[in-house]
Amino acid sequence: MELKVESLQFGYDGAGKVLKDISFTCTGAQVLCILGSNGTGKSTLLKCLTGEERGEGQILIDGRRLQDYHARELAKKIAYIPQMTVPTFPFRVLDVVLMGRTAHMKYFSSPDQDDEKKALENLKFLGIDHLSQKAYTDISGGERQLVMIAAALTQQPEFMILDEPTAHLDFGNAHRFLELVFRLRERGMGILMTTHFPDHALFLKGQTIVLRDGCVWRQGMADEVITEENMSVLYGLEVHKKQIGSRMVCIPGELKA
């Protein structure tokens, strides 16, 4: 699948432009990280990419305008996982994951055994099949995030968009999630994710876009874009890149005056 963004601009009523002339292309089983400080428009960009917000410019999916897709068609192309989901009803975890099959089911039909098998396989793939019978309202925020990823996989999209996917995960599960991204890419899935952490982009070693003041400030491969100079300017403090074992990481230094 090809996701192409051309000269995207967006602003909320009564406010200035949040996004200014954003352009990029993401093709196939590629991992694209969107990096930026707080308030730079990362979440707004994702809302535009999924049709929740409508801006100026073009968003094309396989050469077709985003707004020309029916919701069920779009669901077979893209799965979107927001930064936080607020549970309202105590559905079983399995039932939440089965909701991902909606785009593939006929109207007014119910999930069948094959749908349930796919849902259970994805829970197992993520190592959370033991939660299948628990109430979604009774599990932790990090577990809910993994359940939503399982639902997205059950949706069987070609591309997954994630807003700060590690925000509610502990240190261990955050690392396991990054490993999961590699496994999803091996399955042929493209992934676009926002993150506050340069280390995540360095670990994934894919394309990286740095947003600053609503614009694409830097764009390229992670190791080219995430430099000590760029990160120091972006975050307003001294940043050092260090090799630790097989990984390159960013270490903060002193705050800039």
Side-chain angles (χ1 to χ4, degrees):
M1 193 196 92
E2 181 185 74
L3 172 66
K4 189 170 187 179
V5 180
E6 298 179 336
S7 303
L8 176 64
Q9 299 191 65
F10 178 82
Y12 294 101
D13 291 340
K17 295 291 185 183
V18 178
L19 302 174
K20 308 164 191 172
D21 198 26
I22 305 288
S23 297
F24 65 87
T25 301
C26 192
T27 306
Q30 179 181 343
V31 177
L32 172 61
C33 285
I34 308 287
L35 193 66
S37 55
N38 288 331
T40 198
K42 299 189 300 299
S43 294
T44 301
L45 172 60
L46 299 196
K47 289 178 180 179
C48 290
L49 297 182
T50 56
E52 185 177 338
E53 299 287 0
R54 178 79 179 271
E56 302 170 28
Q58 291 267 47
I59 298 173
L60 303 172
I61 299 172
D62 288 337
R64 184 178 168 192
R65 296 188 311 165
L66 173 67
Q67 59 265 37
D68 292 339
Y69 278 87
H70 185 276
R72 290 169 71 90
E73 285 183 290
L74 188 61
K76 293 177 182 178
K77 289 286 185 180
I78 293 176
Y80 171 54
I81 301 176
Q83 192 174 136
M84 181 180 293
T85 57
V86 181
T88 304
F89 300 106
F91 295 115
R92 289 184 310 165
V93 163
L94 179 58
D95 293 328
V96 173
V97 177
L98 280 168
M99 291 176 189
R101 296 303 297 163
T102 303
H104 299 273
M105 292 161 52
K106 294 180 180 179
Y107 289 106
F108 307 114
S109 63
S110 300
D112 58 21
Q113 288 185 339
D114 187 53
D115 293 322
E116 187 166 320
K117 182 181 177 182
K118 286 183 173 68
L120 288 168
E121 284 174 351
N122 286 318
L123 284 168
K124 187 173 183 179
F125 175 70
L126 293 171
I128 53 171
D129 47 314
H130 61 285
L131 299 175
S132 64
Q133 300 304 312
K134 287 194 173 184
Y136 185 64
T137 49
D138 291 342
I139 61 177
S140 71
E143 288 171 332
R144 286 199 293 269
Q145 188 77 342
L146 293 172
V147 169
M148 295 308 297
I149 292 171
L153 291 175
T154 304
Q155 185 178 320
Q156 292 184 300
E158 297 178 38
F159 200 84
M160 194 177 293
I161 294 178
L162 306 107
D163 191 4
E164 295 287 346
T166 62
H168 303 287
L169 301 181
D170 61 34
F171 180 79
N173 279 325
H175 179 74
R176 292 184 191 99
F177 172 79
L178 296 177
E179 294 283 2
L180 169 64
V181 171
F182 283 124
R183 292 160 64 196
L184 293 174
R185 186 173 62 186
E186 288 171 0
R187 279 187 167 193
M189 185 175 292
I191 294 174
L192 184 154
M193 57 177 275
T194 60
T195 181
H196 281 301
F197 302 104
D199 289 359
H200 291 177
L202 287 170
F203 180 82
L204 294 170
K205 299 178 181 178
Q207 288 286 329
T208 300
I209 289 175
V210 181
L211 293 183
R212 189 180 183 208
D213 298 326
C215 300
V216 174
W217 183 56
R218 297 287 186 271
Q219 183 172 0
M221 297 303 292
D223 59 344
E224 300 169 349
V225 168
I226 301 173
T227 65
E228 292 183 346
E229 180 182 359
N230 285 345
M231 295 302 98
S232 296
V233 172
L234 182 65
Y235 293 111
L237 78 166
E238 189 177 316
V239 176
H240 305 286
K241 280 178 68 175
K242 300 290 183 183
Q243 186 83 30
I244 298 179
S246 61
R247 291 186 59 179
M248 185 67 73
V249 299
C250 289
I251 300 174
E254 297 181 2
L255 287 170
K256 288 190 171 183

